[in-house]
Every structure is written in structure tokens, then in C-alpha cells.
DNA sequence: TATGAATGAGTATTCATTCAT
DNA sequence: AATGAATGAATACTCATTCAT
């Protein structure tokens, strides 16, 4: 009997990887990276510990692939937020941020935890730095077009605010007035400005 | 040989506990809870591993006592920020927050890390929720007196902003424009308001 | 499709086995038995891990077949060293030994390593004992014909010397004065004797 | 009740270390370094796996301490072999070598195995190189004083011979004519020479 | 015949915790 | 009150071997 075809194998691989990554993602988001063991992930994924190392070089490599995967999913959307009118673009950004938070809280939990672990993982540092820079630069330009007096400071303030809202919402969940906050911010930065 | 008096014993206990808690505090703030071992804390404190279990039931119990201690310290200061004029009180709060961040980054690092570990430690969740509530209530009243249109929302926004500024400053440190942000906020909420 | 003939199959088997054994041989000689994994051998041989178990019952079985194969190869050459004149035979042996060492250091590395692993592998012990005995007997007869006073002792000394030279040469390689040693020994045992 | 005294503790430490090192030594000498697990050593020594790491940083560190310990024991004797008469010194060396082999076969098994593993352990390489150099230099000088024609070559030959005798004796044990070989060598190099 | 995904027992190492002194 | 030797369960990771295809 002949061996499995290459494509059938690839399919099996994709399935196993997905099972592992899904399990890892939810466990790490819930418990944190250090508190989640390979054994736990394997059990949750329904595979053997050994199999994990067919797909990932190490626990850290798994984390990296996890984050990259989740991030590239999110990146695709950024382009769609742009508009002719900078005011609209800004509003799109606010709306996107709150939508993300509601729809992918686990992802943002993971990202926030990792951000706070900078220095422990080289790849997180590089990633976070690059992200943050691009983000601030983009916002600064936008606010400049909208004639904010101190666009860079304001951009950083919004950046901080996003992080703060994220951390609080992710911690106290349904008790956090997310919708209210969204309206509030859009009013302040998009509607009432100028 | 005269037996140690009860009070003398108590004094020794207090001293040992303080040494241990100080060591634990700075190590955990620097490295995180998981990455700090009992052995390390004992060494830093200059006591034996065994002694730690005379005062703390477990590593987690040490963490709880640590946080409780640090928090009650913080509480004492709140009273001193009050003023007849709510505007001054608000400004005092802003100034206190930035001063704290600059002077005790380790404390805030620890608190932020713990806040984010909710789910792992029940006591952190209870504590954080209670704190946040009291905090928001206080700020809400203040902003009400200052006739802010949506005082509760605004209070929550400031709360989130504080957390966000803290997390970013604690992560990127000297690259964060802390002083600039302080002026910005005071202008916005205390000077220009009304 | 016509079914493969039996002889065609056999040919394929021989080819695959050879690829595997060659890969195993060079890897084990270079890194040692314990440090060489089945996965590594399969990769080097360009076959799948699974295929290895079609030909070899286990990793140890592979080792055994490897050593047997290498040894029977060596046996064939022994006959060619014989000469009418025992002095010439002796010189042929010396020259063969040094030539072997220079030309097939991997083989001798493997053999020496294995010899020293006695106790772990029963088959090595049996093999090594048999070899050594035959070897000593042969040399003893030769030296007897050359009228050495204590031919058996002398034979064992030469046997030990061979092993010693081998181990040192294989360890320190180019720093070992192999050529010099060869001349030295031939002078001593073949030229100057009697 | 007061804690154990420092000296009592030291005593306990020495005892535990000895138990571990003895177990490690005999197991590694018997089975080889890679094939001996920490678990096995701990079991043989009658202690927990964890305790091993109170005394040794790693498995390799254990090996290093093992070898250093065994070596320094041997080093002490070297000075006692020297004599006014180089012939006597040479004879002493031969006798010391054979005595060592008979009395501490496990030590020499270990050393020979390690020598063959050069390249895997940095410390073994340094140690072996230094040892071998000192050894050859010393023998060369001695043979020069005895007017051997090619003292350096001869020194290396004896060095190789020693290794060869050792490896064969350690492998086939009681079947190896150690005593006979000793007489043989002393006759050749000390009595009959010149 | 040949493949490689999957397994599970095994590896070295860490560390919170206990306990005799 | 204080010590630190000792434990054992847990950790990330490896690898010979199996088996469905």
C-alpha cells in the first residue's frame, strides 16, 4: 500500500496544528504564558506532548507563531479604515478598536500580557516596538491634519487610553461601560473637535 | 539565660517579616511572580528558606500579604489630597499619580502585573474590583461637583487613562513623555475646564 | 501495471539497506551511538524513519548489522597480507594497520568506541573477544616462526600497541606522529630483529 | 531548638556528596556517561533527584567534579616516583601504571571513556591535553637521559602502549596477562637497555 | 515497499514545601 | 525563632518505535 499523499498529509498537519494552536491560545490567554504548561496544552488539544514538537521548536516558538497568526489576521483590516476625510478615518479607528475588544477579547488579553512581558521575549519586544511606533506615527499625522495643537502628545494620550481601556475592560469585563466610552470618545475627538 | 520576652519576640518577628516582604516586593516587581523563587527571596532577605514558612503559609500567601500591605500604605495618602476646592483636589490627584509613577515604579509594576493575573488569584480579583469601584465613585463625585456633563463616564475614562499611562510608562520608561502628559491633563481637566 | 518481480524487489532492498547503513556508519562514527538519532540517520540516508524498521528490528540491531558488515569486509583483506616469508607478512600487517588508520579513521573510531561499550551490548563483547583471540593466535604463530623469545606476550604487546596507537591517533589526529611511528615499529620488529 | 551547627551540616553535606559521587562514579564507569541517568544515580545513592542539584550544577558538573576528585587523588603519587637514577624512575613509572590499573580499574575505565569523548566536553579536552603533554614531556626527558635514539618517538610509543594495555585490560579483564606484560616491559626498557 | 504523523516513556532540571535539629 | 538538607511533583523537551495509509 502506498504512503499518504502529500496533500492529505498537509491536511492532517494543518488540522493538528490548528487543534494545538487553538488550545494554546485559549489557555495562555486565560492563565498567562508561564502558568500554561505544554502538558496542559497537549491534553486540551487532545494530542500527545511529543506531537507538539513536530510543529513547534519550543514553547516560545509556539507563542511566537500564535501571536504572529493572530496579528496577521488583524493587520488585514487596517487598510480598510482609511478614508479621504481624516475625521472619518479617526472615527473608524475608534470604532475598530472597540469592535476588536468586543469580538476578540482573548487576543487582546494575550497581547496585553505579552506587552507587559517585554524584555523576556526578544520577538515580543521587536514586535511591540514596531507596532507602537507605526501606530503613534499614523495617529500623529492624522491629528496634525485635524489641527490638534500637540498632535504627538495627543496621539500618545490616545495610545495610552486605548491600552488603559483594554486592560480594564479585559479585567472587569461586563461591568465596564464599553459602549458608553466609545460614544464619549468619538464625540470628543471627531464630532465636537474644531 | 533569661527567656526572651514576648514583646522582644514580637519585635524580632516584625523585623524578619519586613526584611522578607521588602525583598519579595522588589524581586517580584522586577521579575514577576512566577519567575521569582522562594530561594531567591530568602537569599535577598538574608534569611533561611525555612523561616519564610514561619510567617507565610505559602508563596501565594506571601504575595497576598505583600499586596495588602502595599495597598493600605497607598490608602493613607489619599486623605491628604482632599481640598475645599474640588478643582484643587482633582489637580492634586493628577499630580499625585504622576509623582507616584516616577517615585515608585516598582510598586505600580507589581500592581499592574497582578491586576492582569486575575483568574489566577482570587484575592487579586476581589481587591481590584473593590479598589476600582471606590476609586471611580470618588472621582465621579468630584467631577459632578465640577459640572462635567457625564461625570461617571469621565471618571472611568480618567481611570482607564491612568492605567494606560502607567502600563506604557512602566514598559518603555524614559521614552514615555510623562511630564508632557501631566501638563496636558491638568490643562484639560483643571485649568481650561469651564 | 506489472507487479515488481522478486529480484527487482531484492535489488531495491539492498540499495535501501546500503543507504541506511552508510549513513548510520558515518554518523555514529562521528558522533557516537547514543548521540545519533534514528531521525538523523533516516534524514542523512534520504529515507523515512518508518522504512528503517523494515530492515532493522531496532536501533541496536542496526548497530549489530553495521559492525558485522564492517568486520567481514575487513576479514577479506587479511588473506592478502600472507607471504611465504613471515618477516614480510609481519611487515605487511604493520603497513596494513597504518594504512587502515589513515584511510578509514571512521571505521576504527566506531570499532574502538564499541569495544569500550562492552557490558552495554552483549554482541560486541562476544565479537570483540573472538576477534582478539584469533588475532593474537595469528600473531603469536608468526612471531614464533621469527623466533621471538616470548611470542605470545609479544603478540599481545603488539595488539595492545595497535589499540593504543589507534585511540591516540583517532583522538588527537594530525598531531599524532603516525608516519614516524610506522617506521619505528617496522625497524624494530622486521628489520633489526635477529 | 536551635538549628544544626555549621560543622554538623558540613558533615551531612560531605556524606551526601560522597554517596552521590560514589554512585555516579561506579555507574558511569560501568555504563558510560550518556547511558547513566540522573535518576539512576539518585536511586543508587539512595537520595532524591532534587538533592543532586544542591551539590552539583548539572550532570556535566557532576562528571567534572568526579574526574577532578579522582585525578587529584592520583596526582599526589607522581612526585614519589622520582629517583636519582632515571632507570629507576622509569621502572617506578611502569610499576605505578600497572598497579593503578589493578587497583583502580573503574577510574581508568572512566578516564579512557572520557578521553574518547573529547570534543563533547570542553573540560575533558583541556584536562586531557594538559595531562598528555606533561606526561610525554616528562617521559621524553627521561628517555633522553637514558640515551634512547629517538626519545620523543619512544615516549609517544610508550604513551600509546599504556593506553592500549589499559583499554584491553579493562575490556577483557582477567584474560589479559597483566603481570606478564609488566615484566616484559621492564625487562625491555629498564634492564636490557644499553 | 515506503511514508511520516503520532505516541509515550524517558531525560535533565527546578522549586515550593517539609522537618529534624 | 531559625536553619538548610532533603523531598517529590512538575517542567520543557527528546526520541525510539508504531501504524494507518
Amino acid at each position: 500500500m502506498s504512503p499518504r499523499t502529500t496533500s492529505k498529509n498537509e491536511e492532517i498537519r494543518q488540522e493538528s496544528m490548528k487543534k494545538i494552536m487553538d488550545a494554546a491560545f485559549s489557555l495562555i490567554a486565560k492563565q498567562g504564558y508561564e502558568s500554561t504548561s505544554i502538558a496542559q496544552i497537549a491534553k486540551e488539544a487532545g494530542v500527545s506532548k511529543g506531537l507538539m514538537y513536530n510543529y513547534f521548536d519550543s514553547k516560545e516558538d509556539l507563542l511566537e507563531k500564535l501571536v504572529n497568526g493572530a496579528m496577521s489576521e488583524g493587520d488585514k483590516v487596517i487598510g480598510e479604515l482609511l478614508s479621504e476625510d481624516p475625521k472619518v478615518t479617526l472615527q473608524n479607528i475608534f470604532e475598530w478598536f472597540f469592535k476588536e475588544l468586543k469580538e476578540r477579547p482573548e487576543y487582546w488579553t494575550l497581547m496585553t500580557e505579552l506587552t507587559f512581558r517585554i524584555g523576556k521575549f526578544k520577538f515580543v519586544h521587536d514586535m511591540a516596538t514596531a507596532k507602537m511606533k507605526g501606530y503613534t506615527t499614523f495617529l500623529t499625522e492624522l491629528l496634525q491634519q485635524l489641527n490638534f495643537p500637540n498632535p504627538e502628545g495627543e496621539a500618545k494620550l490616545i495610545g495610552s487610553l486605548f491600552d488603559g481601556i483594554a486592560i480594564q475592560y479585559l479585567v472587569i469585563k461586563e461591568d465596564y461601560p464599553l459602549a458608553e466610552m466609545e460614544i464619549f470618545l468619538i464625540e470628543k475627538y471627531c464630532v465636537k473637535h474644531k
Side-chain angles (χ1 to χ4, degrees), chain A residues 44-69:
Chain A
E44 173 89 8
V47 302
S48 67
K49 268 181 297 171
L51 187 62
M52 311 221 21
Y53 291 89
N54 268 12
Y55 300 114
F56 308 98
D57 292 341
S58 65
K59 194 185 172 187
E60 191 175 333
D61 179 53
L62 166 58
L63 181 67
E64 182 166 355
K65 288 198 168 62
L66 219 51
V67 172
N68 278 336

Side-chain angles (χ1 to χ4, degrees), chain A residues 26-168:
Chain A
S26 71
L27 284 172
I28 293 178
K30 208 185 302 158
Q31 313 172 335
Y33 175 75
E34 341 253 4
S35 301
T36 302
S37 72
I38 290 286
Q40 242 180 327
I41 296 172
K43 196 174 178 186
E44 173 89 8
V47 302
S48 67
K49 268 181 297 171
L51 187 62
M52 311 221 21
Y53 291 89
N54 268 12
Y55 300 114
F56 308 98
D57 292 341
S58 65
K59 194 185 172 187
E60 191 175 333
D61 179 53
L62 166 58
L63 181 67
E64 182 166 355
K65 288 198 168 62
L66 219 51
V67 172
N68 278 336
M71 216 157 80
S72 63
E73 262 180 64
D75 274 355
K76 284 178 279 179
V77 207
I78 292 284
E80 303 169 13
L81 304 176
L82 298 173
S83 153
E84 290 285 302
D85 182 357
K87 219 169 232 181
V88 174
T89 303
L90 188 60
Q91 178 158 353
N92 285 343
I93 289 173
F94 281 123
E95 285 169 352
W96 168 81
F97 169 72
F98 284 98
K99 195 166 131 276
E100 277 290 304
L101 227 42
K102 271 176 291 181
E103 291 180 355
R104 302 201 301 161
E106 327 78 28
Y107 170 66
W108 291 101
T109 302
L110 182 58
M111 293 304 288
T112 311
E113 196 215 336
L114 288 178
T115 305
F116 214 68
R117 296 295 176 80
I118 270 181
K120 198 140 199 206
F121 305 117
K122 175 108 185 58
F123 84 90
V124 174
H125 180 265
D126 296 346
M127 204 183 66
T129 306
K131 274 270 139 170
M132 222 174 272
K133 226 168 212 158
Y135 187 55
T136 307
T137 308
F138 181 69
L139 256 183
T140 304
E141 273 172 36
L142 209 58
L143 297 170
Q144 207 154 23
Q145 289 169 33
L146 292 168
N147 296 315
F148 275 80
N150 182 352
E152 196 180 337
E154 196 80 39
K156 278 170 180 159
L157 189 149
I158 294 175
S160 296
L161 188 56
F162 276 12
D163 266 12
I165 289 172
I167 207 178
Q168 293 199 341

